[in-house]
Structures are given as structure tokens and as C-alpha cells.
Amino acid sequence: MQRYFINESLSDDHQITLPKDVAHHFVTVLRANEGDQCELVLNDHQAYQCTLIDVEHAIVQVQKQLKQNAELPLQVTLACGLPKTKDKPELIVQKGTELGVTEVIFFESDRSVSHWNNGKQNKKIARLQKIADGAAEQSHRNLIPQIKYLPNLATLLEEVQADKKVVAWEESAKQGETSRLAQMLNDSHPNEKWLAIFGPEGGLSEQEISQMKTYQVQPVGLGPRILRTETAPLYFMSAVSFATELNH
Amino acid sequence: MQRYFINESLSDDHQITLPKDVAHHFVTVLRANEGDQCELVLNDHQAYQCTLIDVEHAIVQVQKQLKQNAELPLQVTLACGLPKTKDKPELIVQKGTELGVTEVIFFESDRSVSHWNNGKQNKKIARLQKIADGAAEQSHRNLIPQIKYLPNLATLLEEVQADKKVVAWEESAKQGETSRLAQMLNDSHPNEKWLAIFGPEGGLSEQEISQMKTYQVQPVGLGPRILRTETAPLYFMSAVSFATELNH
């Protein structure tokens, strides 16, 4: 069923007038008629099953709260060194959203070839946020992940607080480190906040790796194959889901 | 280091004349000189470190066999109902290869909107095979996954033999099934052959689900979020790697 996010709380009469863009999509694009249903996620992050009762004014009646909650047990922030091409951040945001991410931060890493100057940043983040909005609706999330930009790793390490911090590091895998991520996930608790850092195409610099050590960021291997910069975060999100939702 | 797959066995003198396309890439594109190194995977599926000893004739000397083997413990065949758009099979093949797949089969599923007619099939598969070749080199695999096309699910079930067969089924997740995949992976043995089936955008039909029951294909849930048709196989491959390479 079609799901929309609406920044409103539940009113006493359980009726909601759909915002213009949602009304346009539901009534005009999907041609909904009176009696047709949709799911609304309100600002309490709960999903409600609703029925269209007034097509002209796009008013729905809330029928019941839906019990399913599709959120990951952990709150994961993915922090990705800016990749070279435009399609990679889009893929990370879209797939990361489907896989349950809470926040995606792009930062300019030492080896980032691409740079977002001040003029570009807001436009790029707005576009990526739209992709997250759409993917959150489609994957039936209860939260829309927030997309952000930070100028460098130092700012990221200073500003983002987390219970557990990891960095996907090729050298870690090469040195035969295979079980740290699994151990950390097996020991995790519901609602823990995780920060996972990924390098751009050329990887992270020595300086970045040592900067991270100061902030207790743990290097973890993601298996013996070399993953592209946009594949590693998706592997990580899948592993978090598998460990905490399927194998627990 | 640059890796190439070469369909040759190790000769007595440990010297190899690079095939034309590999020679072109290594010598002309990457401008390799005498003394420069590359990794070759020969038809024994072993990787060897090699040194260029003759630029003009593109001859390399094999130095030593590399011990790392980047292959998954399980042999996984992904079978995907033909998705709507061209970019989705490409994404599945590229990312699936990075994540360790052995074989990817596209089949026309009941709800596939896209159809590959006889004229198109070979061309499409050849293009996807090229993507697999490149991704196998880049991710430092020891095997190149094979890409295939089959006309329908019945043929797939008849032709593909496997020790364990699973289908990613939304209804399975909705019914609260969360642990079957984890259990099956925890009970798996090295070199087991797995077949994992995924529907196209509209999902699998009732008839297809009941066809699969006859062939002992187990429905498995991949978590509470609705994954797009191209995301589910990548989640699955990541889960296989996590369970068998990191959490074992």
C-alpha cells in the first residue's frame, strides 16, 4: 500500500487534510477515490492506515495504527568520503534507506577527487534528501533518514557522537581481521547509536586512519574481496540487519 | 595491484604471453614498463604475482602464487526475475560479483514487464558478462561469475541443482519469519551449492511460489523493510558473506 510521511500529529477527530504534494500524488497521480486507502507516518513516527473520505479536499480518516515497525534496532549513521561520480552518493542514499540507515553524511576525505563547493552543497543535499524521502516511503520505513554534508573528517569526528564507531578498512581485512564487526554486533544493544565510516575511491589516508584512532574508531574488515566505495556501506547495512534482525 | 583473468595454465618456464586485450590494457592503457607487476588468475583459479619482462611481446614472468583466496565458502547462484530497467541487471551483476556470487541467472518471471526476445538475449548476456569480468578483476576474485538467461522459472527449477534452495519472499517476512536464513547459513558447510531466487518488481506469482514448493525451495525473509528487486540479492550476498566469513 502507498505510504506517505506527513509532519503532523494525530488530531482528535482522526481526520487529516493531506498536504498539497501528497494530495497531488495520491488523488491525481494514483487516481484515488473515496474509500481508497493509504498509510501515513505522522510525526510520532507511527504508521496509520487511512481511508480517503473527501476527494475534493483530500481529507483522510485515520482507521488504525499499524503495528509493524520497520526500523533497525540500531541507529546507524553512515559517513562516506565523497565519491567521484554523482550516481554513487545517490545509490548509497537510496539503498542505505531501504536497508534501514538513520543518517547519511558525506564528507570531503583526503583522497576525494570530487568536491562540493558552497554553492553546490545545499542543492546536492536537497536532491539526495528527496531520494531518501522516496526510498523511505517505498521501503515502508517509519523514519526518513537525514542526509548531511560535512567539510572533512575532523569535523565529523568532533560533531558526531556515537556509542560505537567503526571504519571499514581494507588493511584490516588484509591483516586477516575477520571477526571484530561480528563481535561488536553480537554485543550490541537496542537503540545503540553507531557511526560507520567509509573512504572514497582511493581509500582513507594514513593521517585519517590515525585521526580516527584518537576518537576510538575501530577498524573492521568486510570480508576478503575488495568492495567499491559505494558497495561497502551497503554490505555494512545488510550485515547490521542480518545480525540484529535475523540472527539474534 | 591490477588483476587479470587468463584462460591458460602455468607453463614449465613460468612465462606467459599476455593475450591481446590484456596486453593492451596493461602495456598501452596503464603504460606498464619492464619490471612492473600485475596479478594473473590462471585457469586453475589461483592468483599469481607476475612481472613484465618483455614489453614489446607482452611477456610476464610468474614470480609466486598468491595465497589469498577471495572466494566465498559457499557457491551461490542468484536467480533473478527479469527487472524492468536495464540498469538493475547491471547493478545486480556488478555488486553481486564484488560480493562473491558464482553465477547469476536472469529468468522471465510471471510478473516481469521486460522481456528479452531471442535476438536480444545473447547481446544482453554478453554485456552483463563483461561487467562481471571487470568486477571480478577489480574485487580481486579468483573466479569470474557466469551470467546466464533462462526463459522461465520451470526451466530454472529443472536445470539448476543445489544443496540448498531459498526464495526471498515478502510474505514470509510479513508472517514474522525472521530466522530461517540465519539458521540455514549457520548450518551450512564449505562448498555447498546454494540457489537463491528473487522476484521482479511486482514480486513472484502465487503459481511460482507453489511451483517452488515442489522443488523444496525454502521461503526466507530478509528483514522488515521492503527491498527493491535489485537490493534483495545484494542483501542476501552480504548476509552470506557476513555469516560464513565474519561471524563463524
Side-chain angles (χ1 to χ4, degrees):
Chain A
M1 197 183 298
Q2 184 65 41
R3 174 171 289 208
Y4 301 106
F5 286 83
I6 296 197
N7 189 19
E8 276 190 38
S9 48
L10 198 58
S11 60
D12 288 340
D13 62 358
H14 283 206
Q15 291 190 1
I16 295 172
T17 304
L18 298 176
K20 220 174 151 185
D21 55 336
V22 172
H24 173 75
H25 189 265
F26 191 45
V27 176
T28 313
V29 178
L30 297 187
R31 299 184 191 182
N33 280 318
E34 270 160 39
D36 285 347
Q37 298 194 317
C38 66
E39 293 174 7
L40 297 184
V41 180
L42 304 183
N43 57 12
D44 57 359
H45 304 308
Q46 301 299 320
Y48 297 90
Q49 188 178 308
C50 304
T51 304
L52 188 61
I53 55 168
D54 181 339
V55 176
E56 199 187 334
H57 302 96
I59 299 170
V60 299
Q61 174 79 44
V62 174
Q63 304 290 347
K64 62 170 181 186
Q65 185 179 332
L66 296 166
K67 290 221 180 87
Q68 309 112 291
N69 187 319
E71 294 307 309
L72 268 184
L74 307 182
Q75 295 175 49
V76 180
T77 294
L78 294 176
C80 304
L82 258 192
K84 254 190 245 178
T85 55
K86 191 183 125 204
D87 55 322
K88 290 183 182 183
E90 294 183 3
L91 188 80
I92 292 168
V93 166
Q94 187 193 72
K95 301 296 168 230
T97 301
E98 289 175 64
L99 296 167
V101 75
T102 301
E103 182 180 55
V104 184
I105 299 172
F106 292 97
F107 68 97
E108 301 215 9
S109 181
D110 287 351
R111 297 198 183 128
S112 286
V113 173
S114 184
H115 303 284
W116 291 356
N117 59 35
N118 289 329
K120 269 191 201 169
Q121 286 157 24
N122 291 344
K123 222 176 129 187
K124 293 219 176 237
I125 292 298
R127 185 180 153 74
L128 292 170
Q129 186 62 59
K130 260 203 145 161
I131 289 173
D133 297 353
E137 286 178 0
Q138 201 174 351
S139 58
H140 281 211
R141 295 280 304 269
N142 291 56
L143 278 177
I144 300 176
Q146 295 305 299
I147 316 301
K148 293 179 187 161
Y149 168 87
L150 287 175
N152 51 47
L153 181 66
T155 318
L156 175 77
L157 293 170
E158 203 50 56
E159 289 190 4
V160 180
Q161 308 302 316
D163 301 309
K164 285 184 184 156
K165 299 179 236 180
V166 296
V167 53
W169 197 34
E170 223 175 275
E171 292 304 318
S172 190
K174 276 193 200 153
Q175 286 159 20
E177 189 287 295
T178 57
S179 60
R180 192 178 288 134
L181 176 62
Q183 272 170 27
M184 290 176 74
L185 286 172
N186 292 342
D187 295 343
S188 68
H189 301 289
N191 290 317
E192 257 181 18
K193 194 165 165 7
W194 280 54
L195 168 64
I197 303 175
F198 301 86
E201 282 84 355
L204 295 153
S205 69
E206 284 301 318
Q207 205 206 326
E208 286 174 319
I209 291 290
S210 72
Q211 256 180 305
M212 283 190 265
K213 274 188 193 146
T214 325
Y215 285 82
Q216 283 79 50
V217 182
Q218 302 277 331
V220 294
L222 302 179
R225 289 163 300 284
I226 295 173
L227 302 179
R228 285 178 211 230
T229 183
E230 74 279 18
T231 312
L234 310 182
Y235 179 109
F236 178 81
M237 291 306 303
S238 305
V240 170
S241 163
F242 180 77
T244 62
E245 297 182 316
L246 304 191
N247 191 32
H248 62 128
Chain B
M1 198 183 298
Q2 184 64 43
R3 173 171 290 207
Y4 300 106
F5 286 83
I6 295 199
N7 189 18
E8 277 190 36
S9 47
L10 198 57
S11 60
D12 289 340
D13 62 0
H14 284 207
Q15 291 190 359
I16 295 172
T17 303
L18 298 176
K20 220 172 154 188
D21 54 336
V22 171
H24 173 76
H25 190 265
F26 191 45
V27 175
T28 312
V29 179
L30 297 187
R31 299 182 190 183
N33 280 318
E34 269 159 41
D36 285 347
Q37 297 193 319
C38 66
E39 292 174 8
L40 296 184
V41 179
L42 304 184
N43 57 12
D44 56 0
H45 304 306
Q46 301 299 320
Y48 297 90
Q49 188 178 307
C50 302
T51 304
L52 189 60
I53 53 168
D54 181 339
V55 176
E56 199 189 332
H57 302 96
I59 298 170
V60 298
Q61 175 77 43
V62 174
Q63 304 290 346
K64 62 170 181 187
Q65 185 178 333
L66 296 166
K67 290 220 179 88
Q68 310 112 292
N69 187 319
E71 294 306 310
L72 269 185
L74 308 182
Q75 296 175 48
V76 180
T77 295
L78 294 176
C80 303
L82 256 192
K84 254 190 244 179
T85 56
K86 189 183 126 202
D87 55 323
K88 290 182 180 184
E90 294 183 4
L91 189 80
I92 293 168
V93 166
Q94 187 194 69
K95 301 295 169 230
T97 300
E98 289 175 63
L99 296 166
V101 75
T102 302
E103 182 179 55
V104 184
I105 299 173
F106 292 97
F107 68 96
E108 302 216 9
S109 180
D110 286 350
R111 298 202 183 124
S112 286
V113 173
S114 185
H115 303 284
W116 292 356
N117 60 35
N118 288 331
K120 272 190 198 170
Q121 286 158 23
N122 291 345
K123 222 175 129 187
K124 295 218 174 237
I125 291 299
R127 184 179 156 75
L128 292 170
Q129 186 62 58
K130 261 203 147 164
I131 290 173
D133 296 355
E137 285 177 1
Q138 199 172 352
S139 58
H140 282 211
R141 296 277 308 267
N142 291 54
L143 277 177
I144 299 177
Q146 295 305 299
I147 316 301
K148 293 178 188 162
Y149 169 87
L150 286 175
N152 51 46
L153 181 67
T155 318
L156 175 77
L157 293 170
E158 202 51 55
E159 289 191 3
V160 180
Q161 307 302 317
D163 301 309
K164 286 183 183 155
K165 298 180 236 177
V166 296
V167 53
W169 196 35
E170 223 173 273
E171 292 303 319
S172 188
K174 276 192 202 155
Q175 286 159 20
E177 189 288 294
T178 57
S179 60
R180 191 177 290 134
L181 176 61
Q183 273 170 27
M184 289 175 75
L185 285 172
N186 293 342
D187 296 343
S188 67
H189 302 288
N191 290 318
E192 256 180 21
K193 193 163 166 7
W194 280 54
L195 169 65
I197 303 174
F198 301 86
E201 282 85 355
L204 295 153
S205 69
E206 284 302 317
Q207 205 207 324
E208 287 174 318
I209 291 291
S210 72
Q211 256 182 304
M212 284 191 262
K213 274 187 194 147
T214 326
Y215 285 83
Q216 283 80 48
V217 182
Q218 301 278 329
V220 295
L222 302 179
R225 289 163 300 284
I226 295 173
L227 303 179
R228 286 177 210 231
T229 183
E230 74 279 18
T231 312
L234 309 182
Y235 180 109
F236 178 81
M237 291 306 302
S238 304
V240 170
S241 163
F242 180 78
T244 61
E245 297 181 316
L246 304 192
N247 191 31
H248 61 130

